[in-house]
Amino acid sequence: MSSSFRERVEVLLQAFEEGKTTCRSSEEIKEKLSLPEEAGKEERFKAVVEALCKLKIWSEEDCECEVHLPEKSDKVSLVADMIISIMNHGDGNDPILDFAQQEMINKICGYVGYGGEAKAVFLPGGSYCSLVSMICARHQKFPEAKETGLDHPIQVIASQHSCASTDQGALMMGIGTNNVIKVDFSVITPRELVDLIQRNNIFMIISSFEVAEDGTVDTIDKFSKIMRKYNIWHHIDTREGGAALLSEKYRYLTDIFQDADSLTIDFHTCLNLNQQSSLLLVKNGNQLSSCSNITEPFQSGRKTDGLKLWLYDQLDGLDEPATDFVWNTYFQSSNEEASCASE
């Protein structure tokens, strides 16, 4: 590795650590990048890097009170991204990167309580994870769709709190957003759910992982027998709550995960990792390979984003930052209110 490369990496790291400076417009950035023609390559490199790493274009949507998550993860995942970029070549990944990623996958599957038949893949974003889970669910209910397609509409039931990825998945699969039925799982009764299923071609139920201020978890356990009876796939979008899996103190909150057919966890949102670090876990891993030969193996030619999580685990450990995140997200406000009420 040449000395000039090392010097450029040092410039990058220094710019990254110095924090952001707010600019009011893109024109201001262009002005900062206006260098004399005689400027050398290294001077131009430094100016470009500093513009990318240190300048932030202000917008009215910016919040003055930003949440600052642990700084260590930023630096560790930055290093991991550099390793991935250097070691990924052509259509495949370096075997050592695949090893590290698989080690992380095995650990997380163990935390969930999935057996040896489970599989998991890091994909580019939670929306992509949701889409692939929908493909798996459709294949379980309507396996013929893989070759012949479907000549009738099918529907998915989703929590009214679900994010836009459910509608996006329905759009990309050709199901149509009108066939996404939004319900409030805390209100709907088992009888009403059965009625919905019998009047439609439901192939999947998507719920969200929600933790109440008193530490209770919203579940759809009361519908588990119904889903098994009608062969309906259950996917949980864990949102930031997936961090509880990595916390020894709060892992009990995720006991409901082991009964789900699939899960999505966005680690970059809860651990402040560089985008992206989204994981799809599937209880019956064979569905990942049988639903489409196009999507297997998923990791071929794809960045090994799991290295960011693995490296963070190796260097700093995941338990403490995950515990802090769960506390700050779900419990801090309610405890502060209780403390104020007692004074």
Side-chain angles (χ1 to χ4, degrees):
M1 193 173 293
S2 66
S3 59
S4 61
F5 178 79
R6 289 191 175 91
E7 290 171 358
R8 289 188 170 189
V9 171
E10 183 62 33
V11 169
L12 173 63
L13 293 176
Q14 183 177 348
F16 181 77
E17 291 178 344
E18 289 178 357
K20 294 281 189 179
T21 300
T22 300
C23 293
R24 289 287 170 176
S25 68
S26 57
E27 294 302 319
E28 190 173 340
I29 292 182
K30 290 180 181 179
E31 183 179 344
K32 291 180 181 296
L33 288 174
S34 297
L35 300 175
E37 292 184 3
E38 61 271 17
K41 287 184 178 181
E42 297 307 316
E43 185 178 355
R44 291 185 180 277
F45 175 80
K46 184 177 181 180
V48 169
V49 166
E50 289 186 345
L52 292 173
C53 297
K54 296 172 63 176
L55 301 181
K56 174 184 177 181
I57 299 180
W58 178 89
S59 70
E60 293 182 356
E61 296 178 355
D62 286 343
C63 176
E64 295 180 359
C65 302
E66 295 183 355
V67 177
H68 296 285
L69 298 175
E71 292 184 359
K72 283 185 178 180
S73 58
D74 276 335
K75 299 174 184 178
V76 170
S77 62
L78 172 65
V79 171
D81 250 340
M82 293 175 64
I83 293 173
I84 294 168
S85 297
I86 292 171
M87 297 182 66
N88 268 5
H89 301 288
D91 293 332
N93 298 316
D94 191 295
I96 193 66
L97 300 185
D98 289 330
F99 163 80
Q101 180 165 262
Q102 190 59 47
E103 285 290 292
M104 201 69 248
I105 286 174
N106 293 342
K107 175 179 284 192
I108 295 171
C109 283
Y111 288 158
V112 173
Y114 280 173
E117 71 280 2
K119 289 183 180 180
V121 287
F122 282 90
L123 296 170
S127 294
Y128 195 170
C129 290
S130 295
L131 171 63
V132 175
S133 72
M134 293 175 77
I135 294 173
C136 290
R138 182 181 61 183
H139 181 69
Q140 174 182 266
K141 186 77 171 182
F142 305 104
E144 69 277 10
K146 175 180 176 179
E147 296 181 352
T148 63
L150 292 175
D151 58 0
H152 57 81
I154 58 177
Q155 293 79 30
V156 54
I157 296 175
S159 166
Q160 65 177 11
H161 304 296
S162 62
C163 65
S165 62
T166 303
D167 290 329
Q168 292 168 354
L171 181 64
M172 295 178 70
M173 290 179 65
I175 295 173
T177 56
N178 286 345
N179 286 309
V180 177
I181 304 171
K182 301 287 182 71
V183 302
D184 185 343
F185 287 117
S186 66
V187 175
I188 190 173
T189 66
R191 179 64 257 174
E192 289 171 334
L193 180 65
V194 169
D195 184 57
L196 263 181
I197 293 171
Q198 291 178 341
R199 289 188 290 106
N200 296 279
N201 289 313
I202 305 296
F203 71 100
M204 185 181 198
I205 290 179
I206 300 177
S207 63
S208 300
F209 180 64
E210 304 284 351
V211 181
E213 290 184 352
D214 62 357
T216 58
V217 180
D218 290 336
T219 72
I220 60 171
D221 288 348
K222 60 184 177 182
F223 305 128
S224 57
K225 291 183 179 179
I226 297 173
M227 289 186 286
R228 285 195 296 269
K229 178 180 179 179
Y230 290 96
N231 190 29
I232 294 174
W233 186 283
H234 179 207
H235 176 78
I236 300 179
D237 179 2
T238 72
R239 301 186 178 184
E240 296 90 348
L245 267 178
L246 308 177
S247 167
E248 185 175 346
K249 180 178 181 179
Y250 294 119
R251 194 169 298 138
Y252 73 91
L253 294 170
T254 67
D255 288 346
I256 60 171
F257 287 3
Q258 64 179 341
D259 293 325
D261 294 293
S262 57
L263 309 165
T264 293
I265 307 175
D266 285 329
F267 290 112
H268 55 265
T269 62
C270 55
L271 295 178
N272 204 25
L273 301 178
N274 284 2
Q275 288 198 15
Q276 294 158 329
S277 188
S278 298
L279 183 65
L280 171 67
L281 299 97
V282 179
K283 190 174 187 177
N284 179 5
N286 290 331
Q287 290 290 345
L288 279 171
S289 54
S290 63
C291 68
S292 172
N293 56 4
I294 297 174
T295 52
E296 174 69 25
F298 284 92
Q299 291 301 139
S300 178
R302 193 177 305 287
K303 286 181 63 179
T304 46
D305 288 320
L307 182 71
K308 304 168 193 174
L309 195 62
W310 179 85
L311 188 61
Y312 193 10
D313 188 31
Q314 295 296 310
L315 299 182
D316 297 315
L318 297 171
D319 179 72
E320 182 178 348
T323 299
D324 289 345
F325 179 85
V326 174
W327 163 260
N328 292 331
T329 303
Y330 298 113
F331 299 109
Q332 185 178 35
S333 60
S334 59
N335 278 271
E336 287 176 350
E337 290 172 5
S339 177
C340 292
S342 64
E343 290 178 356

